[in-house]
């Protein structure tokens, strides 16, 4: 990874993948089942300035099945998105969505949330599924510990996640040798350790030795105070290999992202912009807006007067509010287009500020603004 | 209206409106509450080749209210659609959707389907609402009789619809004189008479004398056999003014449209293409396809190999089927885009065949094909 500018811990970088270059800091847009919720397709992702599409291994494994996706030519051919794709490991969903799970050293047995079918995913299965999906970046299979967890459990779990990481690396190498995974498929490891700084650091030091293509911080933004998250990032960051992309999983609000970039993070993903949009909550450069608010009933202005997205070029708050009240799907699409555009362009702005050596004042100004309710 | 080519009773025509020219035969795309169901906006309507957007007076009157739409600059400014807009009279919805209605000579009292509020619409109210909406073409307020109805009731109802038409015409003239309606707003009258050919003809003769901007056949496609509908069109058509657009309301399947064009109709509207699309039923040049069918599970072909729509340029049957199974909104949008494109391009093809004097063989070929289940 090329680091082009530095401002404190913040990095303006760039890394190559088999499916194109990623300019960082970057926000990855979540297409859980191979589609962005809110009726956006691959062409819409280009329109909103997406660089990396993120798909969920667990969801695609249970439906339509990774074998089917492979038969259809992999996720790129299946979805029509030709840029980089990151697939998660399936771990988080197995621990949060699936029923009746039991965790052992081999992996996790669980029941599909779709049809209750008994399934098993361990490190090898996760790698095989992600190889079938043909993603650009595969994530290692980790144990996602419930929060709060005891120090003792968290410590054991970290050790297991490290053993699983080794098995992931071995299996992906084998799959590539056997021609069953794309030769260029990258593997990112995941740091765990709950909110115990010493565990986090020890685990990060361990996995840094694996020489992976990137490193993620997992198990944060799961209900703990934001200050704990920022503290953990600060503790772990010095031990994350400087020459590799650093990914904070499942984060977050615009201010969370700003704070994490400030602390040295390069990559993000979150369902928040699309989910909030579907409930009429939009992000703007002045703060957050709840479009269902009565005061927008006759408001002819766009969602955000500073925004260049297709929705803001064309439609008024009053029209979109009406569409929500009338239960029209178009309301959701217009707001998802806007929120994803906002997130992707927030990252673009952050990159430009880093290049112009003006990130610090930008950071201080917008950490006070972006989460305000207006 | 300029009639450019004739083939039997079928007409290739063109008429001017305040918001642009309409090439006929044409299909009007239904945006009930000011938006096409399936998350399409005004720009998408351009993409699918829409000429005329149709909005529902009743729906917009109860929500967000025609006064609000007027304050926002009318339907064109509110929705972003700059082409011709036809508004229905509200009559059909008052009779089919609203609760607790009572019909009198003045008009109809009813309860809003949204909040139960007691409302009243008569000919004058319908004209005032449509003037507020600022549509290009207003429809006269008619009584929609339930099918089947006795001859006696249908006869009385026709007489009332004629009296109401007179009141509509008077009121719209007054609204224009008072600067409360757009100067160019057109008024179409509606022929009624159930499936009684003699009533239909008598009523058509009567309203033809009003010198309106266009004439519609209402009260068909409400459950009667298609053969009855075709017979009524054949009976009425000779009495529809040849120099005015002829509109068959709420019709229909591709074959219904082909049969009606063959019998001299110029304009159509129907919720079918968008509604079917949302259930995975797509129209193609080979017939109708149910995308949920197991046989499409791994089908890499587009919905219709002969189609130039954005969906068919980009996505496979397998992908869209998966999106339906996963409950992704994108499935509906992709199929609505396709079906509306198909309808609008069916009309374009019909116009081309009429121009090339090849409509008759086209009609015989496709009346056997388009409704086939494949």
């Amino acid at each position: 990874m090329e680091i082009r500018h530095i401002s404190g811990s913040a990095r303006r970088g760039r890394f190559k993948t088999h499916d194109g270059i990623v300019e960082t800091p970057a926000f990855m847009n979540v297409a859980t089942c191979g589609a962005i919720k809110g009726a956006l397709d691959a062409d819409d992702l280009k329109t909103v300035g997406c660089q990396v599409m993120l798909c969920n291994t667990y969801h695609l494994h249970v439906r339509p099945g990774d074998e089917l996706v492979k038969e259809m030519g992999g996720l790129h051919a299946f979805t029509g998105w030709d840029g980089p794709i990151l697939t998660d490991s399936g771990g988080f969903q197995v621990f949060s969505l699936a029923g009746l799970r039991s965790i052992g050293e081999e992996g996790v047995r669980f029941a599909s949330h779709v049809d209750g079918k008994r399934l098993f995913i361990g490190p090898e299965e996760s790698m095989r599924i992600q190889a079938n999906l043909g993603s650009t970046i595969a994530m290692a299979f980790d144990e996602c510990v419930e929060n709060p967890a005891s120090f003792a459990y968290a410590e054991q779990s970290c050790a297991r996640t490290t053993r699983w990481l080794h098995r992931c690396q071995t299996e992906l190498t084998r799959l590539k040798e056997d021609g069953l995974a794309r030769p260029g498929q990258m593997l990112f490891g995941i740091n765990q350790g709950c909110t115990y700084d010493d565990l986090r650091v020890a685990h990060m030091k361990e996995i840094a030795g694996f020489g992976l293509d990137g490193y993620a911080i997992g198990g944060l933004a799961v209900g703990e105070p934001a200050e704990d998250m920022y503290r953990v990032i600060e503790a772990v960051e010095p031990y994350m290999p400087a020459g590799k992309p650093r990914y904070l999983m499942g984060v977050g609000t615009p201010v969370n992202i700003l704070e994490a970039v400030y602390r040295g993070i390069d990559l993000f993903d979150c369902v928040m912009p699309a989910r909030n949009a579907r409930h009429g909550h939009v992000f703007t450069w002045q703060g957050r807006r709840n479009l269902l608010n009565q005061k927008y009933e006759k408001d002819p202005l766009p969602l955000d007067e500073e925004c260049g997205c297709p929705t803001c070029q064309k439609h008024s708050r009053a029209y979109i509010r009406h569409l929500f009240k009338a239960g029209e799907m178009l309301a959701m699409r217009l707001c998802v287009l806007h929120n994803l555009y906002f997130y992707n362009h927030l990252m673009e702005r952050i990159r430009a500020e880093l290049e112009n050596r003006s990130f610090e004042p930008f950071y201080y100004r917008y950490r006070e603004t972006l989460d305000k309710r207006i």
Side-chain angles (χ1 to χ4, degrees), chain A:
Chain A
M1 176 171 181
E2 179 194 348
I3 305 298
R4 312 185 69 207
H5 297 274
I6 285 189
S7 168
S9 297
R11 302 137 50 96
R12 165 72 180 93
R14 170 183 291 172
F15 68 96
K16 283 189 191 153
T17 77
H18 234 62
D19 301 302
I21 286 169
V22 181
E23 304 284 352
T24 63
F27 180 78
M28 303 187 285
N29 297 211
V30 183
T32 306
C33 302
I36 301 278
K37 297 206 182 291
L40 275 64
D41 81 345
D43 287 341
D44 294 316
L45 277 187
K46 297 274 177 195
T47 304
V48 297
C50 172
Q51 291 191 76
V52 183
M53 180 168 90
L54 186 153
C55 293
N56 289 114
T57 289
Y58 167 83
H59 284 98
L60 291 166
H61 175 59
V62 301
R63 187 173 52 197
D66 47 287
E67 299 280 355
L68 185 145
V69 174
K70 186 190 173 103
E71 231 178 291
M72 303 308 298
L75 273 179
H76 288 93
F78 192 55
T79 65
W81 171 255
D82 62 4
I85 298 177
L86 184 143
T87 43
D88 66 3
S89 69
F92 185 76
Q93 279 74 25
V94 164
F95 287 94
S96 63
L97 262 187
L100 299 167
R101 55 181 190 279
S102 70
I103 311 162
E105 183 61 21
E106 278 311 293
V108 186
R109 293 194 184 282
F110 61 96
S112 157
H113 77 295
V114 172
D115 57 10
K117 197 173 157 190
R118 300 295 299 167
L119 297 168
F120 174 82
I121 297 186
E124 290 79 11
E125 288 72 18
S126 175
M127 289 302 106
R128 275 177 234 148
I129 296 168
Q130 293 183 74
N132 282 341
L133 296 174
S135 60
T136 317
I137 303 169
M139 297 302 298
F141 189 74
D142 58 333
E143 182 179 350
C144 301
V145 174
E146 276 180 40
N147 213 3
S150 72
F151 184 88
Y153 189 87
E155 191 174 29
Q156 286 171 26
S157 169
C158 277
R160 173 179 282 164
T161 290
T162 307
R163 293 192 296 276
W164 283 0
L165 176 57
H166 182 72
R167 285 164 54 189
C168 285
Q169 200 175 25
T170 305
E171 179 66 6
L172 187 56
T173 304
R174 184 192 72 78
L175 289 166
K176 286 182 188 175
E177 284 167 4
D178 293 353
L180 298 171
R182 297 174 72 199
Q185 194 170 28
M186 300 162 89
L187 179 63
F188 282 19
I190 303 176
N191 172 249
Q192 290 288 357
C194 299
T195 49
Y196 302 109
D197 294 7
D198 42 358
L199 271 188
R200 284 278 177 184
V201 167
H203 188 244
M204 191 64 236
K205 283 182 182 171
E206 247 181 359
I207 65 175
F210 280 70
L212 300 165
D213 300 304
Y215 290 89
I217 303 180
L220 288 182
V222 289
E224 80 286 355
E227 292 316 314
D228 288 359
M229 175 168 80
Y230 302 148
R231 197 199 65 239
V232 168
I233 300 170
E234 285 171 17
V236 171
E237 186 269 339
Y239 305 97
M240 300 186 87
K244 299 292 172 64
R246 300 159 166 185
Y247 164 27
L248 180 60
M249 301 180 81
V251 173
T253 67
V255 171
N256 291 156
I257 289 176
L258 208 50
E259 295 287 3
V261 166
Y262 184 78
R263 290 167 173 82
I265 301 296
D266 307 310
L267 290 171
F268 301 88
D269 82 284
C270 194
V271 296
M272 182 182 278
R275 180 175 292 166
N276 280 20
R278 299 201 304 283
H279 294 95
H281 301 156
V282 293
F283 295 96
T284 79
W285 287 98
Q286 302 85 48
R288 300 190 197 194
R289 221 183 267 295
N290 180 352
L291 210 55
L292 300 180
N293 198 309
Q294 177 76 28
K295 70 180 171 187
Y296 299 121
E297 194 184 20
K298 298 178 182 178
D299 191 332
L301 295 175
L303 297 178
D304 183 352
E305 291 173 88
E306 296 179 52
C307 178
C309 85
T311 302
C312 288
Q313 298 318 297
K314 185 97 191 172
H315 299 296
S316 66
R317 296 171 192 166
Y319 178 57
I320 302 172
R321 183 178 186 279
H322 156 64
L323 296 177
F324 271 112
K325 292 288 181 183
E328 288 289 336
M329 225 181 265
L330 179 58
M332 298 192 189
R333 175 172 154 88
L334 293 178
C335 288
V336 173
L337 282 168
H338 169 81
N339 273 1
L340 289 181
Y341 185 99
F342 177 82
Y343 264 67
N344 292 320
H345 285 78
L346 169 64
M347 306 315 289
E348 187 177 291
R349 178 78 182 273
I350 288 172
R351 293 194 297 271
E353 300 288 351
L354 283 165
E355 282 171 22
N356 299 334
R357 308 184 191 288
S358 51
F359 177 68
E360 196 120 342
F362 174 83
Y363 162 73
Y364 282 109
R365 175 175 172 198
Y366 282 102
R367 63 184 279 191
E368 301 303 327
T369 310
L370 295 179
D371 278 358
K372 261 191 207 152
R373 292 179 191 277
I374 55 173

mmCIF file of all heavy atoms in Angstrom, chain A residues 145-150 153-155 157-158 191-197 199-200 217-220 228 231-232:
data_model
loop_
_atom_site.group_PDB
_atom_site.id
_atom_site.type_symbol
_atom_site.label_atom_id
_atom_site.label_comp_id
_atom_site.label_asym_id
_atom_site.label_seq_id
_atom_site.Cartn_x
_atom_site.Cartn_y
_atom_site.Cartn_z
ATOM 1 N N VAL A 145 -17.188 -12.265 19.762
ATOM 2 C CA VAL A 145 -17.578 -12.458 21.152
ATOM 3 C C VAL A 145 -18.656 -11.451 21.521
ATOM 4 O O VAL A 145 -18.610 -10.307 21.093
ATOM 5 C CB VAL A 145 -16.333 -12.290 22.049
ATOM 6 C CG1 VAL A 145 -16.723 -12.332 23.516
ATOM 7 C CG2 VAL A 145 -15.319 -13.361 21.716
ATOM 8 N N GLU A 146 -19.633 -11.914 22.314
ATOM 9 C CA GLU A 146 -20.662 -10.967 22.765
ATOM 10 C C GLU A 146 -20.047 -9.962 23.720
ATOM 11 O O GLU A 146 -19.096 -10.259 24.432
ATOM 12 C CB GLU A 146 -21.799 -11.723 23.448
ATOM 13 C CG GLU A 146 -22.795 -12.246 22.440
ATOM 14 C CD GLU A 146 -23.951 -13.001 23.087
ATOM 15 O OE1 GLU A 146 -24.426 -12.555 24.145
ATOM 16 O OE2 GLU A 146 -24.355 -14.031 22.519
ATOM 17 N N ASN A 147 -20.608 -8.772 23.718
ATOM 18 C CA ASN A 147 -20.090 -7.669 24.514
ATOM 19 C C ASN A 147 -21.080 -7.357 25.623
ATOM 20 O O ASN A 147 -22.255 -7.189 25.323
ATOM 21 C CB ASN A 147 -19.915 -6.441 23.596
ATOM 22 C CG ASN A 147 -18.761 -5.580 24.008
ATOM 23 O OD1 ASN A 147 -18.042 -5.891 24.943
ATOM 24 N ND2 ASN A 147 -18.597 -4.468 23.325
ATOM 25 N N PRO A 148 -20.714 -7.261 26.901
ATOM 26 C CA PRO A 148 -19.371 -7.451 27.442
ATOM 27 C C PRO A 148 -19.044 -8.938 27.606
ATOM 28 O O PRO A 148 -19.941 -9.763 27.769
ATOM 29 C CB PRO A 148 -19.455 -6.768 28.803
ATOM 30 C CG PRO A 148 -20.886 -6.858 29.202
ATOM 31 C CD PRO A 148 -21.682 -6.885 27.948
ATOM 32 N N ALA A 149 -17.759 -9.275 27.557
ATOM 33 C CA ALA A 149 -17.292 -10.642 27.804
ATOM 34 C C ALA A 149 -16.225 -10.566 28.896
ATOM 35 O O ALA A 149 -15.573 -9.534 29.065
ATOM 36 C CB ALA A 149 -16.693 -11.222 26.526
ATOM 37 N N SER A 150 -16.057 -11.658 29.616
ATOM 38 C CA SER A 150 -15.019 -11.679 30.654
ATOM 39 C C SER A 150 -13.652 -11.647 29.983
ATOM 40 O O SER A 150 -13.494 -12.069 28.830
ATOM 41 C CB SER A 150 -15.155 -12.941 31.501
ATOM 42 O OG SER A 150 -14.751 -14.068 30.739
ATOM 43 N N TYR A 153 -12.640 -15.186 28.889
ATOM 44 C CA TYR A 153 -13.259 -15.686 27.668
ATOM 45 C C TYR A 153 -12.674 -14.976 26.453
ATOM 46 O O TYR A 153 -12.371 -15.602 25.424
ATOM 47 C CB TYR A 153 -14.780 -15.527 27.697
ATOM 48 C CG TYR A 153 -15.403 -16.261 26.529
ATOM 49 C CD1 TYR A 153 -15.734 -17.612 26.630
ATOM 50 C CD2 TYR A 153 -15.569 -15.636 25.289
ATOM 51 C CE1 TYR A 153 -16.238 -18.307 25.542
ATOM 52 C CE2 TYR A 153 -16.068 -16.326 24.195
ATOM 53 C CZ TYR A 153 -16.401 -17.655 24.327
ATOM 54 O OH TYR A 153 -16.890 -18.350 23.249
ATOM 55 N N ALA A 154 -12.517 -13.659 26.579
ATOM 56 C CA ALA A 154 -11.997 -12.863 25.462
ATOM 57 C C ALA A 154 -10.582 -13.328 25.092
ATOM 58 O O ALA A 154 -10.234 -13.410 23.908
ATOM 59 C CB ALA A 154 -11.987 -11.383 25.828
ATOM 60 N N GLU A 155 -9.799 -13.686 26.084
ATOM 61 C CA GLU A 155 -8.416 -14.126 25.854
ATOM 62 C C GLU A 155 -8.395 -15.462 25.098
ATOM 63 O O GLU A 155 -7.675 -15.629 24.109
ATOM 64 C CB GLU A 155 -7.689 -14.258 27.192
ATOM 65 C CG GLU A 155 -6.185 -14.446 27.051
ATOM 66 C CD GLU A 155 -5.479 -14.416 28.407
ATOM 67 O OE1 GLU A 155 -6.104 -14.790 29.426
ATOM 68 O OE2 GLU A 155 -4.303 -14.012 28.439
ATOM 69 N N SER A 157 -10.781 -16.631 23.300
ATOM 70 C CA SER A 157 -11.373 -16.414 21.991
ATOM 71 C C SER A 157 -10.348 -15.825 21.023
ATOM 72 O O SER A 157 -10.300 -16.191 19.838
ATOM 73 C CB SER A 157 -12.584 -15.495 22.139
ATOM 74 O OG SER A 157 -13.021 -15.083 20.879
ATOM 75 N N CYS A 158 -9.512 -14.899 21.515
ATOM 76 C CA CYS A 158 -8.446 -14.330 20.680
ATOM 77 C C CYS A 158 -7.496 -15.432 20.193
ATOM 78 O O CYS A 158 -7.095 -15.453 19.021
ATOM 79 C CB CYS A 158 -7.620 -13.313 21.474
ATOM 80 S SG CYS A 158 -8.371 -11.689 21.523
ATOM 81 N N ASN A 191 -8.537 -8.344 13.987
ATOM 82 C CA ASN A 191 -8.135 -8.165 15.384
ATOM 83 C C ASN A 191 -9.351 -8.234 16.295
ATOM 84 O O ASN A 191 -10.384 -7.626 16.011
ATOM 85 C CB ASN A 191 -7.432 -6.795 15.523
ATOM 86 C CG ASN A 191 -7.157 -6.418 16.973
ATOM 87 O OD1 ASN A 191 -7.756 -5.491 17.510
ATOM 88 N ND2 ASN A 191 -6.249 -7.128 17.613
ATOM 89 N N GLN A 192 -9.225 -9.020 17.394
ATOM 90 C CA GLN A 192 -10.300 -9.087 18.392
ATOM 91 C C GLN A 192 -9.719 -8.763 19.764
ATOM 92 O O GLN A 192 -8.565 -8.332 19.860
ATOM 93 C CB GLN A 192 -10.949 -10.480 18.362
ATOM 94 C CG GLN A 192 -11.777 -10.763 17.103
ATOM 95 C CD GLN A 192 -13.101 -9.996 17.046
ATOM 96 O OE1 GLN A 192 -13.482 -9.269 17.971
ATOM 97 N NE2 GLN A 192 -13.803 -10.115 15.907
ATOM 98 N N GLY A 193 -10.522 -8.940 20.812
ATOM 99 C CA GLY A 193 -10.047 -8.653 22.170
ATOM 100 C C GLY A 193 -10.990 -7.745 22.951
ATOM 101 O O GLY A 193 -10.585 -7.135 23.941
ATOM 102 N N CYS A 194 -12.231 -7.658 22.487
ATOM 103 C CA CYS A 194 -13.247 -6.828 23.160
ATOM 104 C C CYS A 194 -12.685 -5.438 23.426
ATOM 105 O O CYS A 194 -12.020 -4.876 22.565
ATOM 106 C CB CYS A 194 -13.715 -7.507 24.446
ATOM 107 S SG CYS A 194 -14.462 -9.105 24.137
ATOM 108 N N THR A 195 -12.961 -4.917 24.606
ATOM 109 C CA THR A 195 -12.468 -3.567 24.913
ATOM 110 C C THR A 195 -11.276 -3.633 25.878
ATOM 111 O O THR A 195 -10.991 -2.670 26.585
ATOM 112 C CB THR A 195 -13.596 -2.699 25.504
ATOM 113 O OG1 THR A 195 -14.220 -3.443 26.556
ATOM 114 C CG2 THR A 195 -14.631 -2.356 24.454
ATOM 115 N N TYR A 196 -10.590 -4.790 25.890
ATOM 116 C CA TYR A 196 -9.376 -4.930 26.723
ATOM 117 C C TYR A 196 -8.162 -4.525 25.892
ATOM 118 O O TYR A 196 -7.723 -5.274 25.003
ATOM 119 C CB TYR A 196 -9.238 -6.371 27.214
ATOM 120 C CG TYR A 196 -10.446 -6.835 28.025
ATOM 121 C CD1 TYR A 196 -11.340 -7.770 27.504
ATOM 122 C CD2 TYR A 196 -10.688 -6.314 29.302
ATOM 123 C CE1 TYR A 196 -12.447 -8.187 28.234
ATOM 124 C CE2 TYR A 196 -11.802 -6.729 30.035
ATOM 125 C CZ TYR A 196 -12.677 -7.664 29.496
ATOM 126 O OH TYR A 196 -13.775 -8.070 30.213
ATOM 127 N N ASP A 197 -7.625 -3.367 26.182
ATOM 128 C CA ASP A 197 -6.541 -2.815 25.361
ATOM 129 C C ASP A 197 -5.353 -3.771 25.259
ATOM 130 O O ASP A 197 -4.770 -3.945 24.183
ATOM 131 C CB ASP A 197 -6.042 -1.472 25.927
ATOM 132 C CG ASP A 197 -7.109 -0.384 25.836
ATOM 133 O OD1 ASP A 197 -8.251 -0.706 25.456
ATOM 134 O OD2 ASP A 197 -6.780 0.772 26.150
ATOM 135 N N LEU A 199 -5.247 -7.053 25.590
ATOM 136 C CA LEU A 199 -5.591 -8.190 24.717
ATOM 137 C C LEU A 199 -5.552 -7.771 23.252
ATOM 138 O O LEU A 199 -5.021 -8.494 22.391
ATOM 139 C CB LEU A 199 -7.002 -8.686 25.019
ATOM 140 C CG LEU A 199 -7.194 -9.749 26.089
ATOM 141 C CD1 LEU A 199 -8.644 -10.218 26.075
ATOM 142 C CD2 LEU A 199 -6.251 -10.938 25.829
ATOM 143 N N ARG A 200 -6.168 -6.624 22.965
ATOM 144 C CA ARG A 200 -6.195 -6.090 21.595
ATOM 145 C C ARG A 200 -4.776 -5.965 21.038
ATOM 146 O O ARG A 200 -4.484 -6.396 19.918
ATOM 147 C CB ARG A 200 -6.856 -4.703 21.585
ATOM 148 C CG ARG A 200 -8.358 -4.722 21.708
ATOM 149 C CD ARG A 200 -8.992 -4.992 20.347
ATOM 150 N NE ARG A 200 -10.438 -5.082 20.425
ATOM 151 C CZ ARG A 200 -11.208 -5.400 19.371
ATOM 152 N NH1 ARG A 200 -10.680 -5.642 18.193
ATOM 153 N NH2 ARG A 200 -12.508 -5.505 19.503
ATOM 154 N N ILE A 217 -10.044 -4.255 12.382
ATOM 155 C CA ILE A 217 -10.424 -4.284 13.789
ATOM 156 C C ILE A 217 -11.889 -4.687 13.827
ATOM 157 O O ILE A 217 -12.748 -3.978 13.287
ATOM 158 C CB ILE A 217 -10.222 -2.909 14.456
ATOM 159 C CG1 ILE A 217 -8.761 -2.465 14.303
ATOM 160 C CG2 ILE A 217 -10.618 -2.956 15.923
ATOM 161 C CD1 ILE A 217 -8.453 -1.103 14.939
ATOM 162 N N GLY A 218 -12.156 -5.846 14.409
ATOM 163 C CA GLY A 218 -13.528 -6.344 14.498
ATOM 164 C C GLY A 218 -14.037 -6.221 15.923
ATOM 165 O O GLY A 218 -13.290 -5.844 16.833
ATOM 166 N N GLY A 219 -15.304 -6.532 16.106
ATOM 167 C CA GLY A 219 -15.851 -6.588 17.462
ATOM 168 C C GLY A 219 -16.007 -5.239 18.143
ATOM 169 O O GLY A 219 -16.216 -5.173 19.352
ATOM 170 N N LEU A 220 -15.947 -4.159 17.373
ATOM 171 C CA LEU A 220 -16.241 -2.835 17.945
ATOM 172 C C LEU A 220 -17.557 -2.331 17.347
ATOM 173 O O LEU A 220 -18.135 -2.968 16.468
ATOM 174 C CB LEU A 220 -15.098 -1.850 17.662
ATOM 175 C CG LEU A 220 -13.802 -2.104 18.458
ATOM 176 C CD1 LEU A 220 -12.762 -1.033 18.139
ATOM 177 C CD2 LEU A 220 -14.047 -2.139 19.966
ATOM 178 N N ASP A 228 -14.814 4.288 24.142
ATOM 179 C CA ASP A 228 -14.088 3.011 24.265
ATOM 180 C C ASP A 228 -13.533 2.600 22.908
ATOM 181 O O ASP A 228 -12.392 2.138 22.797
ATOM 182 C CB ASP A 228 -15.024 1.910 24.773
ATOM 183 C CG ASP A 228 -15.366 2.102 26.249
ATOM 184 O OD1 ASP A 228 -14.855 3.076 26.847
ATOM 185 O OD2 ASP A 228 -16.149 1.290 26.785
ATOM 186 N N ARG A 231 -10.567 4.671 22.026
ATOM 187 C CA ARG A 231 -9.425 4.304 22.865
ATOM 188 C C ARG A 231 -8.777 3.017 22.336
ATOM 189 O O ARG A 231 -7.554 2.925 22.221
ATOM 190 C CB ARG A 231 -9.887 4.113 24.308
ATOM 191 C CG ARG A 231 -8.757 4.140 25.350
ATOM 192 C CD ARG A 231 -9.198 3.499 26.653
ATOM 193 N NE ARG A 231 -9.473 2.073 26.472
ATOM 194 C CZ ARG A 231 -10.643 1.487 26.711
ATOM 195 N NH1 ARG A 231 -11.669 2.173 27.178
ATOM 196 N NH2 ARG A 231 -10.777 0.184 26.492
ATOM 197 N N VAL A 232 -9.601 2.040 21.981
ATOM 198 C CA VAL A 232 -9.064 0.776 21.467
ATOM 199 C C VAL A 232 -8.296 1.023 20.160
ATOM 200 O O VAL A 232 -7.200 0.494 19.962
ATOM 201 C CB VAL A 232 -10.188 -0.268 21.249
ATOM 202 C CG1 VAL A 232 -9.678 -1.465 20.454
ATOM 203 C CG2 VAL A 232 -10.764 -0.710 22.583
#
